[in-house]
Amino acid sequence: MICLIALVVAGFLGIFSVSYRRIAIDAFNCVFRNITFRRCTSGTDIKLKSHITGSLLKRSPRTARFVRRNFEWISWLFTLLLVGSVIYSGISIYNLHAYGNCNGQNSQEECILTLDNPEEIPAHCTGKVICEDCSMEQCGTECECEEGKSCTNE
Amino acid sequence: MFKPEKIREDFPALQRKIRGKPIIYMDSACMSLKPIQVINAINDYYVNFPACSGSRSNHELSQEVSERIKKARKIIKKFFNAPNNGEIIFTRNTTEAINIVAKSLNYDKSKVLTTDREHNSNLVPWQVLAEEGKIKHEVVKSKTDHSFNMQRFEKMLDNETKLVSIVHTSNLDGYTTPVKEIIKIAHEKGALVLVDAAQSAPHKEINLKKLDPDFMVCSGHKMLGPTGTGILYGKKEALEALRPFIVGGDTVLETTYTSHVWEPVPQKFEAGLQDYSGIIGFGEAARYLSKIGLGKIAKHEEKLKRILIEETESIQELETIGNKNYSGIFNFNIKGINFHEVAGILNAQNIMVRSGVHCLHSWYNAHKIEGSARASLYLYNTEEECIKLAENLKRIAKLA
């Protein structure tokens, strides 16, 4: 089961890091052998477990023991958190692309993701507003102006 | 005066830091680290005379290669105090050396005896020959304390025994078989003896004149030498009775379309272009070990093993594997924790040990043990390192 979790987690993290890619390949081989009714011989689960336990052992033997004993549950928890994060990130990226705001249509909430589009910023605005002409009605408080200029309030 | 701290300076791998900390290498029974002198000797070949030996070409570089190979052979012969009627054949490793004997012997008598603690390299070749119906392979079982059972051996040894192929020091637990006595008894019955010295040659003095085996095999990579090097020592008359099974270039003096004339021993067993740099490196490794002294190395390992035993005595979860002795091998399990996991946790602390069945599947299967973790010590290990290993084992035992 650890191999399956490792495949999901390392498979995703492997997009960004070569070391995770290696773990993902090992985990894939293990899962593949399992689903073809053969014994997994890569030892991926033990490698991961011992690496994490060993790293924790230096700092806190108690935590190491807890993690070792509950390794599978903890792995599941982190997998679910990862899957949840990936889903929410996907939704946010879609919102940003479709509505220019990661929180969705008509949302006024702060969004950490922004679409930088400097070509569409009016010449008299210095901020990140995307308006044809910077007006308070169109852009609200997002409208920022250069020094000595003011926004129209239509 | 034996100073491991000084010796360590010769080993570049020990200067490395992983995760910002120095490494503790305790897997020398599998592969020893290499001193800079050996690395330089290997390099010397590739930089200064990377040519064929004089058996093929006859220019300056070839002459130099031949000279160095000759020198390496001489150093290794001296290292083992080989008698004048003995010869060294270079091989890729111990396994190849055993296979040369297994495949080349004339089995006018059919029985081959081994012990129950042989590495696969000294088991499978005989099993294959037995399957082919060429020999009868029998295993001498050890006593309950895992020591050699001389009485059983004497009972099994008969006039039909062609060869006793026996491990000298076991990679399982470091137990050393009483080969001198075994050789004497076997010779009295007219049997040949092959000594597998892969684990003894790096750690203790082997005096071939005194031991008097017909064959002795070992690997360079376990005794500070390069990978892919090994030797088959044999008495000339025993070697000349073998019919080489790897043949071709460099093994013959003359050929016609229908016949060939063999080179003398050892050339007739060294087929094809050899690993010249490896052989030169192996010679340098033997020279390095001789300079330090095998006796001192053995004593040092004994001291380290005593420390390990004392420091781990209080760990109730710790079970040692095999015979209890003071060699450089510490083979163990921790109850409730898989041996691969133990090795993995130690690895996270930069302590490198081996885990598994150590090419001794037959022994582990017979004793119904799934595997174990093994720390193997050598001349570059220190007392502090052993204490660190013991401390970590204490912590690991609490994880169960």
Side-chain angles (χ1 to χ4, degrees):
Chain A
M1 194 54 75
I2 297 289
C3 284
L4 185 64
I5 298 168
L7 178 61
V8 175
V9 178
F12 178 74
L13 296 175
I15 298 167
F16 314 103
S17 158
V18 180
S19 58
Y20 285 107
R21 232 168 283 162
R22 270 187 236 123
I23 298 170
I25 291 166
D26 270 357
F28 174 79
N29 288 335
C30 194
V31 171
F32 185 73
R33 284 186 75 87
N34 275 332
I35 58 172
T36 50
F37 304 107
R38 288 176 294 168
R39 201 174 148 215
C40 172
T41 50
S42 68
T44 309
D45 49 349
I46 289 175
K47 269 186 226 167
L48 290 169
K49 194 174 169 183
S50 58
H51 180 74
I52 293 166
T53 312
S55 303
L56 288 169
L57 193 64
K58 284 182 273 187
R59 296 178 185 91
S60 165
R62 272 190 179 185
T63 316
R65 188 162 69 167
F66 176 79
V67 169
R68 188 186 168 271
R69 285 183 176 176
N70 302 287
F71 192 72
E72 198 154 337
W73 289 111
I74 295 168
S75 302
W76 271 117
L77 179 71
F78 276 99
T79 306
L80 292 174
L81 286 172
L82 176 82
V83 171
S85 303
V86 170
I87 291 168
Y88 273 96
S89 300
I91 293 168
S92 299
I93 290 165
Y94 171 77
N95 283 338
L96 189 68
H97 177 73
Y99 311 113
N101 187 314
C102 61
N103 294 315
Q105 206 173 4
N106 303 324
S107 172
Q108 296 297 311
E109 284 176 54
E110 192 70 25
C111 175
I112 56 161
L113 300 172
T114 56
L115 280 178
D116 280 341
N117 208 345
E119 286 163 22
E120 293 182 35
I121 296 174
H124 60 280
C125 289
T126 57
K128 56 189 173 179
V129 183
I130 305 156
C131 299
E132 276 186 18
D133 57 341
C134 186
S135 68
M136 293 298 276
E137 193 182 22
Q138 278 181 306
C139 313
T141 53
E142 294 290 318
C143 185
E144 292 174 39
C145 294
E146 285 174 29
E147 213 177 315
K149 292 187 178 177
S150 59
C151 290
T152 51
N153 194 3
E154 291 171 358
Chain B
M1 183 75 182
F2 187 85
K3 287 183 181 165
E5 292 78 15
K6 185 83 186 139
I7 288 167
R8 289 169 70 86
E9 290 172 10
D10 290 335
F11 291 81
L14 292 174
Q15 316 312 319
R16 272 193 73 182
K17 285 189 175 176
I18 295 177
R19 294 177 279 265
K21 284 185 178 175
I23 60 167
I24 296 177
Y25 188 79
M26 293 188 171
D27 192 18
S28 300
C30 184
M31 168 77 75
S32 68
L33 300 178
K34 320 299 173 201
I36 192 70
Q37 291 84 343
V38 170
I39 297 164
N40 287 342
I42 297 165
N43 248 358
D44 194 25
Y45 168 79
Y46 286 112
V47 172
N48 294 314
F49 46 94
C52 285
S53 75
S55 66
R56 293 186 178 218
S57 309
N58 206 22
H59 45 76
E60 279 296 324
L61 295 188
S62 291
Q63 294 303 323
E64 200 163 349
V65 177
S66 288
E67 277 305 309
R68 295 294 189 97
I69 299 292
K70 201 173 151 189
K71 195 177 161 192
R73 209 184 295 270
K74 200 175 161 190
I75 293 169
I76 294 168
K77 272 180 96 168
K78 197 178 165 197
F79 181 81
F80 291 114
N81 198 21
N84 291 333
N85 69 337
E87 195 49 87
I88 299 283
I89 293 159
F90 287 113
T91 63
R92 282 187 303 158
N93 43 49
T94 301
T95 306
E96 186 178 279
I98 294 173
N99 271 276
I100 288 174
V101 176
K103 299 278 185 186
S104 310
L105 261 183
N106 171 23
Y107 293 101
D108 49 347
K109 293 190 282 179
S110 64
K111 196 192 273 189
V112 172
L113 290 179
T114 61
T115 70
D116 61 352
R117 45 172 49 231
E118 300 296 341
H119 189 282
N120 286 335
S121 301
N122 195 25
L123 175 68
V124 182
W126 312 116
Q127 287 179 341
V128 169
L129 287 173
E131 277 169 14
E132 290 169 0
K134 289 178 182 163
I135 63 158
K136 198 177 155 199
H137 173 226
E138 288 183 9
V139 174
V140 182
K141 286 196 177 143
S142 301
K143 290 183 191 169
T144 47
D145 66 351
H146 304 286
S147 63
F148 185 74
N149 194 328
M150 196 63 81
Q151 281 176 325
R152 193 171 284 162
F153 167 69
E154 285 186 73
K155 265 189 191 173
M156 292 171 79
L157 183 77
D158 57 25
N159 294 329
E160 265 309 293
T161 309
K162 175 72 184 181
L163 180 76
V164 176
S165 188
I166 202 156
V167 61
H168 191 193
T169 296
S170 173
N171 69 328
L172 174 78
D173 49 15
Y175 171 74
T176 297
T177 315
V179 283
K180 197 177 175 190
E181 211 179 333
I182 292 168
I183 292 167
K184 193 170 170 271
I185 295 166
H187 283 172
E188 281 167 7
K189 285 276 181 185
L192 297 170
V193 180
L194 182 152
V195 175
D196 172 1
Q199 294 293 342
S200 55
H203 304 279
K204 49 174 68 81
E205 275 173 22
I206 294 179
N207 188 332
L208 289 170
K209 275 183 190 162
K210 281 187 185 166
L211 282 182
D212 193 34
D214 301 280
F215 304 106
M216 192 273 300
V217 293
C218 70
S219 295
H221 68 265
K222 294 185 197 301
M223 45 191 291
L224 312 183
T227 55
T229 58
I231 57 154
L232 160 61
Y233 157 84
K235 285 182 185 168
K236 266 190 186 149
E237 66 266 27
L239 290 173
E240 272 158 10
L242 299 180
R243 187 176 162 79
F245 92 107
I246 305 173
V247 293
D250 288 334
T251 63
V252 284
L253 278 168
E254 183 71 79
T255 60
T256 66
Y257 286 128
T258 53
S259 64
H260 56 263
V261 179
W262 293 118
E263 280 269 12
V265 171
Q267 280 78 20
K268 76 168 178 176
F269 293 101
E270 293 176 352
L273 196 118
Q274 297 295 290
D275 179 1
Y276 300 133
S277 68
I279 291 169
I280 293 164
F282 189 4
E284 182 57 33
R287 195 199 58 79
Y288 184 92
L289 286 171
S290 298
K291 200 176 156 193
I292 291 171
L294 269 292
K296 285 180 189 168
I297 294 170
K299 269 189 187 168
H300 173 66
E301 288 172 14
E302 191 183 315
K303 189 169 86 180
L304 295 183
K305 179 79 176 279
R306 280 182 195 279
I307 291 170
L308 258 180
I309 291 172
E310 279 166 23
E311 293 290 324
T312 54
E313 250 171 5
S314 60
I315 309 174
Q316 290 190 344
E317 296 84 355
L318 190 121
E319 291 170 331
T320 53
I321 305 285
N323 181 270
K324 297 198 187 323
N325 57 63
Y326 293 104
S327 70
I329 287 180
F330 185 65
N331 199 347
F332 62 93
N333 266 322
I334 292 180
K335 275 184 214 164
I337 306 182
N338 180 285
F339 43 90
H340 287 310
E341 205 182 332
V342 172
I345 296 170
L346 288 171
N347 184 51
Q349 328 297 323
N350 283 1
I351 300 173
M352 292 156 192
V353 301
R354 183 172 166 178
S355 56
V357 292
H358 319 290
C359 294
L360 280 157
H361 300 70
S362 54
W363 189 90
Y364 280 85
N365 285 332
H367 290 81
K368 295 185 171 54
I369 301 173
E370 218 183 309
S372 58
R374 184 187 71 186
S376 46
L377 312 166
Y378 208 9
L379 71 167
Y380 36 69
N381 290 118
T382 63
E383 292 177 27
E384 293 74 32
E385 287 182 332
C386 291
I387 292 167
K388 259 190 189 166
L389 171 65
E391 280 170 0
N392 275 285
L393 291 180
K394 281 175 195 163
R395 276 190 221 138
I396 292 170
K398 283 179 189 161
L399 291 174

